[in-house]
Amino acid sequence: MATVSYKDATRIYPGADHAAVDKLNLEIGDGEFMVLVGPSGCGKSTSLRMLAGLEEVNSGSVWIGDQDVTGLAPKDRDVAMVFQNYALYPHMTVADNMGFALKMKGVAKDERESRVLEAAKLLGLEDLLTRKPKNLSGGQRQRVAMGRAIVRDPQVFLMDEPLSNLDARLRVQTRTQIAALQTRLGVTTVYVTHDQVEAMTMGDRVAVMKDGKLQQVDRPLALYDSPKNLFVAGFIGSPAMNLLPARVVDGGVELGDLVLPVPRETTERATGADVVLGVRPENFELSPTGEGLTMTVNAVEETGADSYLYGSLTGVPHDQQVVARVTTRTPPSRGERVLLHIDPAKVHVFDKTTTERIS
Amino acid sequence: MRRPAGRNAPLDAAGWHTGPVPRFLSAKPDARLIPLPWGTPLAEWPVEHLVALPRGISRHVVRFIKVGDQVYGAKEVVEHVAIHEYRLLHDLRRLGTPSVEPVAVVSGRVDADGVPLDPVLITRHLDFALPYRSLFSPGVRHDTVMRLLDAMVVLLARLHLLGFMWGDVSLSNILFRRDADTFAAYLVDAETGELHDQLTDGQRSHDLEIARVNIFGDFCDLEAGGLLDESLDPLSLVETIESRYHELWDELTGLEEFSDSELYRIESRVRRLNALGFDVAELDIQTSPDGRTISIQPKVVDAGHHSRRLMRLTGLDTEENQARRLLNDLDTFRARMQLQDADESVVAHQWLTECFEPVISAIPPELSGKRDPAQIYHEVLDYRWYMSQREDREAPLVKATKGYVRDVLNTLPDEAMSRDVLVTVDGGDHRLINPYDPSLGFVDDLEGDEGPVHDPWEEAAEGIDAGQAEVLDVDALRRRG
Ligand SMILES: Nc1ncnc2c1ncn2[C@@H]1O[C@H](COP(=O)(O)OP(=O)(O)OP(=O)(O)O)[C@@H](O)[C@H]1O
Ligand SMILES: Nc1ncnc2c1ncn2[C@@H]1O[C@H](COP(=O)(O)OP(=O)(O)OP(=O)(O)O)[C@@H](O)[C@H]1O
Ligand SMILES: [Mg+2]
Ligand SMILES: [Mg+2]
């Protein structure tokens, strides 16, 4: 068990004019499940590989527990990459498929067997131990692969897009299982994905990266409820947060044909008159009062009790598609106009110039 | 192109499929591939399109498909991986690495119900590749084993020199071909590969660690299946691979220091590298300020020292050790014909028409699938050597060829595409559960595997809806806090 710390860790690839990872500072707690997320090229894989020992650290350092591992060879770091390769050997039992690498390391037979059994119990594979892998389902194969890493009993698990080759169903199934398993095992885990839904459903905390820089690290709900800047606001959430251009005016912020009352101490933090209002789809509601923003509905998607309305707002540029999630028994139809109400307390305000949150 | 109409797929007036049709990404398209049943999952393809050749185990559905006289490897795999692997295999071949040749990626597939299917990556079947699952089997000679291990080590070092981190080195992902008395190894699965400018020591050691674990597992699996000679021990096999890799890497890249009285060591280093089959394109030579110490370090080395030379002289495309053998024969020819002063390429042409080609054209066509031409020539030379020893005079090439065909080649199995679906072990035959997929194991492996098992995880997963993959469930997040 161990903590992981990045201290100003920087990686500049040979010939590159900017850092792939730029002064990363990140503290990962003992037993924590930390997800690194961001769009392609943001530096998340490079960050993970610096921890694994696959990429050089040009400046700064990487620590596991109280040991500086910056210069250590990968095999001396006691970390395990999970899922890189999970070929199952047809002539070996499930137990041997899980434990063979321990044999290579010279771990005694009794010890091997007990570690395999323990892992199998955790993974619900106990009854399958003596079988050959032939009849295993896709999910069971995934678990045998996890078992391989678990029996090694490393200080840290590293996973880089482990689910990207799976179909959607197996992806949902496996992500739930990995998260549950990690909680039970309590082994510090660093997990890389480009998929924010995966990040938000799995991580204890999520670190959002962009252009080699850490944008925000927090618990999923905190990221969702108070994104630190426009990038995080737009990246986290699906459907994404609506980001609408607005202006600071007397008494609040003007959006389309409506003035939202926003406290003065918020608007005073803006560097200019231009701000961006962030509204989550579920923070719209069909206006009960006959007042609000007019939306022309382009499409409706019903999901259970809720409907997603897609359309444009009067007074807001038309290329700005807006999504609202509303609860109603009689959803509007295409082409219809509806009045939307926004609770000012649930609006996120960002400075347009600095892109930082000011609310 | 006419495709089987799907139940839900719209048809236009002429009965053509108007729904999505497969797309081919290909540099050298083979039109015969187009009409194949792409709307069917690969695992369910009618056997008329398939050949059951031995192959390594795989996670994806892999089949050999046959169009005319050409055989292709086909792998069903998610799109980004298929394209990544297709491009990497291209790059590797451009860089002259022994690897399978990518042919196409077929994407945009949908089944009869309009459900999308994963793309298929198509590679040209590597002829004369030997299935590793029988290479280490009981009765194998010790030096054969060492040569197989060396072939793997050379492949891995060559890839690392190019900046290629494989990420999934395993016996299944390597194909072996005969190369004179040794073997040449080919890369077959580039899915996890990454091409960098240069690898860090960390990346190389990570790749080597993956190789150790995977190959140890492969050997344990062969052992469990009765396919490994009893004298072989998985652990010492992988340790040999590791230590030979380090030796080779040091020779290829290591810094060597010596005093100014030992300048011949520069020449010896180059010769040693040549003997290993590498050319030195750049050698860094430095002298200490007092001029007493010299240090040398190869900066750029290229594999294929002999095969490139043979190719340049004769146009023959062979493995490295085959080339070495043929070049030796060429030198002997030159001496025997007293052509020392003639232009090298003129002599080479003469050798080709007077020695090589007559041997190859004397091979009955029905036996040509047993060995590739360069290997046949090498084996004929061996045969002639024994014949000459026996008869105590140099046997003519034509006569040796006839004897070789009669005594040796006739008795050999076909290796261009060996078709053994039965694997012979300990005198008994084991039948594969599925002749098209060795990953499932043998029929008799299944004993004791009947009956249902209790798997709580599988039960818990039953209600899962794939749609959840895309949507962030905020309410669940709030409940979690
Ligand atoms: N080996 C390399 N050599 C040079 N540049 C690289 C190398 N690997 C990555 N980069 C660059 O470094 C930056 C960060 O890459 P990295 O792979 O860490 O990002 P990522 O967020 O994991 O992206 P992806 O999801 O596409 O893998 C990118 O600009 C990428 O092009
Ligand atoms: N072009 C080819 N020529 C000869 N054999 C081939 C070719 N393509 C594939 N094979 C055989 O098919 C096997 C499986 O192919 P491949 O390794 O690409 O599948 P995979 O599912 O990616 O495997 P893995 O589980 O290692 O990821 C290989 O081990 C090899 O024996
Ligand atoms: Mg493979
Ligand atoms: Mg593969």
Side-chain angles (χ1 to χ4, degrees):
Chain A
M1 301 248 179
T3 58
V4 169
S5 335
Y6 290 88
K7 300 187 178 169
D8 282 329
T10 299
R11 171 67 179 149
I12 305 171
Y13 283 107
D17 52 5
H18 62 280
V21 175
D22 197 356
K23 293 209 168 116
L24 177 64
N25 281 295
L26 186 61
E27 295 282 335
I28 302 167
D30 188 7
E32 187 171 29
F33 194 128
M34 173 66 77
V35 181
L36 307 183
V37 71
S40 180
C42 70
K44 52 194 186 294
S45 295
T46 304
S47 305
L48 188 81
R49 284 156 173 242
M50 289 197 281
L51 174 55
L54 301 185
E55 284 304 345
E56 238 172 82
V57 179
N58 297 100
S59 62
S61 56
V62 179
W63 297 68
I64 297 177
D66 47 18
Q67 188 184 20
D68 181 349
V69 299
T70 317
L72 284 190
K75 61 175 184 340
D76 299 329
R77 296 189 179 203
D78 201 9
V79 299
M81 282 266 199
V82 187
F83 276 15
Q84 286 287 351
N85 17 57
Y86 56 92
L88 295 191
Y89 299 107
H91 305 307
M92 284 159 44
T93 60
V94 167
D96 287 341
N97 264 290
M98 279 167 62
F100 76 90
L102 294 180
K103 191 165 162 199
M104 190 179 80
K105 292 209 155 61
V107 177
K109 193 159 184 272
D110 290 351
E111 167 82 15
R112 269 188 345 244
E113 282 174 356
S114 76
R115 284 209 223 167
V116 166
L117 183 62
E118 201 182 323
K121 279 184 189 157
L122 263 170
L123 290 161
L125 292 171
E126 241 182 305
D127 289 355
L128 288 166
L129 279 178
T130 57
R131 297 209 171 188
K132 303 274 164 68
K134 187 220 163 205
N135 288 321
L136 299 192
S137 70
Q140 289 168 334
R141 284 167 178 267
Q142 294 292 324
R143 277 183 277 145
V144 176
M146 287 190 243
R148 246 180 225 180
I150 292 171
V151 298
R152 287 182 47 192
D153 194 17
Q155 300 220 55
V156 185
F157 284 130
L158 306 180
M159 312 194 197
D160 191 347
E161 304 267 10
L163 310 182
S164 65
N165 295 352
L166 306 181
D167 64 40
R169 191 175 181 281
L170 200 49
R171 212 155 64 224
V172 175
Q173 174 179 340
T174 311
R175 90 183 174 205
T176 319
Q177 295 178 345
I178 292 179
L181 190 65
Q182 198 276 340
T183 309
R184 266 193 279 167
L185 280 171
V187 175
T188 314
T189 300
V190 186
Y191 186 106
V192 162
T193 178
H194 68 283
D195 180 342
Q196 54 96 13
V197 178
E198 204 170 293
M200 297 287 279
T201 38
M202 295 178 81
D204 291 330
R205 281 194 302 155
V206 175
V208 184
M209 296 183 71
K210 183 195 167 218
D211 298 337
K213 296 198 174 74
L214 180 62
Q215 304 291 310
Q216 185 172 2
V217 52
D218 219 327
R219 300 179 62 77
L221 196 58
L223 281 181
Y224 190 82
D225 286 339
S226 12
K228 233 182 108 207
N229 59 32
L230 274 176
F231 175 76
V232 179
F235 189 75
I236 299 292
S238 147
M241 181 188 282
N242 298 289
L243 296 172
L244 309 167
R247 289 185 64 81
V248 175
V249 294
D250 264 356
V253 170
E254 181 185 49
L255 173 69
D257 41 19
L258 196 81
V259 174
L260 278 177
V262 170
R264 181 177 286 272
E265 69 255 31
T266 299
T267 54
E268 270 173 355
R269 279 194 282 260
T271 55
D274 287 328
V275 292
V276 176
L277 285 188
V279 188
R280 295 262 177 224
E282 66 271 24
N283 294 140
F284 285 111
E285 58 178 347
L286 289 175
S287 174
T289 60
E291 261 176 60
L293 284 163
T294 313
M295 179 194 226
T296 310
V297 179
N298 296 332
V300 182
E301 203 180 284
E302 288 178 60
T303 59
D306 292 340
S307 303
Y308 284 101
L309 312 183
Y310 298 84
S312 54
L313 295 181
T314 306
V316 172
H318 268 247
D319 52 4
Q320 183 101 30
Q321 173 97 353
V322 173
V323 190
R325 175 178 162 185
V326 297
T327 313
T328 168
R329 289 231 190 89
T330 50
S333 44
R334 230 186 121 197
E336 214 173 295
R337 289 172 171 226
V338 293
L339 275 181
L340 295 178
H341 177 255
I342 312 174
D343 177 356
K346 293 197 170 141
V347 163
H348 310 253
V349 190
F350 301 92
D351 186 306
K352 185 158 181 222
T353 315
T354 65
T355 78
E356 294 293 316
R357 175 187 194 88
I358 53 175
S359 58
Chain B
M1 180 189 47
R2 190 133 194 163
R3 298 175 68 255
R7 260 167 281 158
N8 303 331
L11 297 185
D12 70 6
W16 285 59
H17 212 3
T18 55
V21 289
R23 281 192 316 278
F24 283 74
L25 169 74
S26 178
K28 266 190 267 160
D30 179 341
R32 297 171 301 181
L33 288 168
I34 296 175
L36 292 175
W38 298 112
T40 307
L42 200 49
E44 293 162 24
W45 273 32
V47 293
E48 64 196 87
H49 299 296
L50 306 179
V51 247
L53 302 178
R55 63 168 179 86
I57 57 175
S58 61
R59 285 165 285 185
H60 304 99
V61 179
V62 173
R63 294 290 184 268
F64 291 116
I65 57 185
K66 165 182 76 188
V67 288
D69 54 1
Q70 181 62 51
V71 172
Y72 293 104
K75 159 154 93 173
E76 203 165 64
V77 60
V78 295
E79 181 140 9
H80 69 100
V81 174
I83 290 176
H84 170 78
E85 185 165 4
Y86 176 83
R87 295 201 172 133
L88 257 187
L89 288 173
H90 257 291
D91 290 343
L92 287 175
R93 289 186 62 93
R94 188 171 42 76
L95 293 166
T97 321
S99 49
V100 296
E101 181 188 339
V103 173
V105 174
V106 186
S107 55
R109 303 168 64 212
V110 287
D111 76 1
D113 297 320
V115 179
L117 299 172
D118 279 337
V120 173
L121 170 74
I122 299 177
T123 52
R124 190 178 304 282
H125 178 262
L126 185 77
D127 288 353
F128 297 103
L130 304 166
Y132 85 85
R133 302 220 129 223
S134 57
L135 285 178
F136 298 92
S137 52
V140 66
R141 288 173 34 201
H142 180 75
D143 59 334
T144 303
V145 172
M146 289 306 138
R147 284 165 180 174
L148 290 165
L149 301 188
D150 279 339
M152 289 189 233
V153 166
V154 168
L155 177 63
L156 193 58
R158 284 182 70 170
L159 292 166
H160 286 176
L161 280 175
L162 288 172
F164 184 82
M165 181 166 81
W166 194 340
D168 195 8
V169 192
S170 73
L171 283 182
S172 285
N173 290 342
I174 294 174
L175 295 172
F176 294 97
R177 254 186 183 178
R178 288 184 196 282
D179 177 11
D181 289 326
T182 65
F183 296 94
Y186 279 67
L187 172 148
V188 63
D189 182 349
E191 184 187 330
T192 47
E194 294 172 16
L195 202 48
H196 300 260
D197 286 342
Q198 207 182 350
L199 294 188
T200 63
D201 287 346
Q203 286 165 330
R204 284 192 307 112
S205 89
H206 177 66
D207 225 16
L208 203 57
E209 181 61 18
I210 292 175
R212 269 173 61 96
V213 175
N214 279 353
I215 295 174
F216 181 78
D218 286 324
F219 281 128
C220 289
D221 188 46
L222 291 181
E223 197 170 42
L227 295 164
L228 189 68
D229 187 86
E230 271 186 5
S231 71
L232 299 175
D233 163 43
L235 186 60
S236 63
L237 288 169
V238 293
E239 279 171 353
T240 306
I241 291 176
E242 187 166 17
S243 63
R244 297 222 177 182
Y245 171 89
H246 290 304
E247 280 166 30
L248 179 59
W249 190 259
D250 284 345
E251 189 66 85
L252 291 172
T253 65
L255 182 79
E256 192 177 337
E257 275 187 353
F258 41 83
S259 85
D260 61 346
S261 62
E262 295 176 294
L263 284 178
Y264 65 90
R265 285 180 61 175
I266 301 180
E267 174 75 12
S268 344
R269 179 73 176 267
V270 172
R271 280 174 186 272
R272 285 202 311 274
L273 287 168
N274 289 165
L276 286 167
F278 290 84
D279 274 326
V280 183
E282 281 177 31
L283 184 68
D284 189 23
I285 307 177
Q286 295 201 19
T287 319
S288 62
D290 65 359
R292 307 290 291 277
T293 313
I294 314 284
S295 71
I296 59 171
Q297 186 171 30
K299 286 292 175 197
V300 182
V301 289
D302 299 319
H305 175 71
H306 301 94
S307 55
R308 256 198 308 277
R309 177 157 170 248
L310 184 69
M311 170 75 104
R312 181 166 51 77
L313 289 172
T314 64
L316 293 176
D317 187 2
T318 69
E319 303 296 348
E320 183 61 13
N321 288 309
Q322 292 173 338
R324 194 191 305 249
R325 186 77 197 272
L326 268 53
L327 286 168
N328 281 338
D329 191 56
L330 175 59
D331 287 340
T332 315
F333 174 78
R334 175 197 281 253
R336 194 181 321 117
M337 307 299 277
Q338 301 195 334
L339 293 167
Q340 281 87 344
D341 299 326
D343 183 77
E344 200 181 29
S345 58
V346 175
V347 181
H349 183 74
Q350 208 176 332
W351 171 84
L352 195 64
T353 52
E354 291 175 22
C355 302
F356 185 81
E357 283 169 356
V359 168
I360 300 309
S361 52
I363 304 300
E366 66 277 13
L367 301 184
S368 65
K370 301 199 172 210
R371 293 283 191 270
D372 66 276
Q375 188 65 23
I376 286 183
Y377 194 79
H378 159 80
E379 292 183 7
V380 167
L381 290 180
D382 273 357
Y383 186 88
R384 182 174 68 167
W385 188 83
Y386 286 113
M387 197 173 179
S388 305
Q389 292 283 302
R390 219 168 36 233
E391 301 182 359
D392 210 13
R393 66 193 163 96
E394 171 147 316
L397 205 48
V398 185
K399 193 176 160 210
T401 309
K402 284 204 181 106
Y404 166 78
V405 169
R406 182 191 59 232
D407 301 340
V408 183
L409 197 61
N410 256 318
T411 65
L412 295 177
D414 235 7
E415 287 188 350
M417 285 183 209
S418 33
R419 289 171 179 245
D420 300 333
V421 258
L422 283 182
V423 185
T424 303
V425 184
D426 312 333
D429 283 339
H430 290 230
R431 187 173 289 278
L432 290 171
I433 292 171
N434 177 344
Y436 301 100
D437 190 357
S439 321
L440 302 178
F442 298 146
V443 174
D444 30 3
D445 277 344
L446 280 181
E447 276 160 31
D449 272 7
E450 306 83 14
V453 284
H454 171 63
D455 182 342
W457 290 50
E458 220 44 11
E459 287 154 25
E462 244 147 48
I464 282 175
D465 162 23
Q468 278 172 267
E470 316 293 324
V471 187
L472 180 59
D473 186 346
V474 184
D475 301 331
L477 263 188
R478 294 208 187 283
R479 285 194 297 274
R480 230 173 87 192

